[in-house]
Amino acid sequence: MQRGLSTRWLDGKGAGEMPGFARTSPGASGTVVVEDSSQLAASADSFGSDTRLPEGVRAFVDLSLARRSGAPLGNLTAFFDSPHRPTDATLRLLELVGRQASDIVERKQAEQALVESEERTRAALFESTPSLFTQDRDLRYTWSVNPVPSLGTEQVLGKTDADILGAEPAVGLSQLKTAVLDTGQPIFAALQTTIHGVPRRHALHVRPLHD
């Protein structure tokens, strides 16, 4: 990953104005080539920047890494100990390595996020007695485990939130569940309801079930 170089240089802005810089695109944009770092000192003075290159570096290629969504992920930099002009074939190879590095980093981050999510779920299950349920597309309960203490399973099955809570108190809960059905995306939310006159706070994880 890049350290110590001007963001202006690494995002390609002004690259064409500075000796020794070239924006390259044999396969993808977001690549900056410095063929001779000895030219950087004079250029940095005029741009008011400090290069702070590692000792012995005379040339480098910097690739901007991005997620598959296009969001920035970081930089991958190849250093050379003498002035160097990489061929298009070398640049294409570096860009392939960069793409593979992006995929690996993105996958590892996704795996870490999943591990953290599972740990939070285990902690929540250990510290509380969760209520589990399924509902059909009309938001009628079809299955329930550990409903809230004031309700039994037989009081829940076949009913909607409006049947249980009343039309007005159920509006927010029904809207949240409808949004999950419409988007196909899970939602985490905190809601407060009143059941049989008792206020209750709920931490909800609502997700769609696919046939």
Side-chain angles (χ1 to χ4, degrees), residues 18-52:
M18 302 176 64
F21 274 80
R23 194 87 151 119
T24 64
S25 55
S29 60
T31 302
V32 175
V33 176
V34 174
E35 299 173 2
D36 186 352
S37 63
S38 66
Q39 301 181 50
L40 288 179
S43 298
D45 288 342
S46 63
F47 275 70
S49 304
D50 179 8
T51 61
R52 297 199 302 275

Side-chain angles (χ1 to χ4, degrees), residues 148-152 155 159 163-166 193-200:
V148 294
S150 58
L151 296 175
Q155 296 174 280
K159 297 182 180 180
D163 295 330
I164 298 169
L165 304 176
T193 62
T194 300
I195 301 176
H196 294 175
V198 180
R200 297 184 181 277

Side-chain angles (χ1 to χ4, degrees), residues 65-181:
L65 304 183
R67 302 179 185 276
R68 291 199 174 273
S69 65
L73 185 61
N75 292 77
L76 179 66
T77 307
F79 295 107
F80 303 92
D81 59 7
S82 61
H84 181 73
R85 172 174 289 186
T87 64
D88 283 356
T90 298
L91 291 172
R92 280 191 290 268
L93 178 60
L94 289 172
E95 287 169 352
L96 175 61
V97 171
R99 179 68 265 166
Q100 293 174 334
S102 297
D103 290 343
I104 292 171
V105 170
E106 192 168 5
R107 184 172 65 251
K108 289 298 183 182
Q109 289 179 342
E111 291 172 354
Q112 181 60 33
L114 179 60
V115 169
E116 292 174 357
S117 176
E118 291 176 346
E119 290 176 349
R120 287 193 296 268
T121 300
R122 290 192 192 98
L125 291 174
F126 180 78
E127 295 172 1
S128 64
T129 303
S131 297
L132 308 177
F133 60 87
T134 59
Q135 291 173 272
D136 60 21
R137 294 197 65 85
D138 294 324
L139 298 184
R140 295 187 179 278
Y141 287 91
T142 58
W143 174 78
S144 178
V145 175
N146 295 326
V148 294
S150 58
L151 296 175
T153 300
E154 69 282 355
Q155 296 174 280
V156 170
L157 296 183
K159 297 182 180 180
T160 66
D161 293 312
D163 295 330
I164 298 169
L165 304 176
E168 186 174 348
V171 169
L173 191 56
S174 298
Q175 288 176 340
L176 184 149
K177 295 173 180 178
T178 299
V180 171
L181 291 175

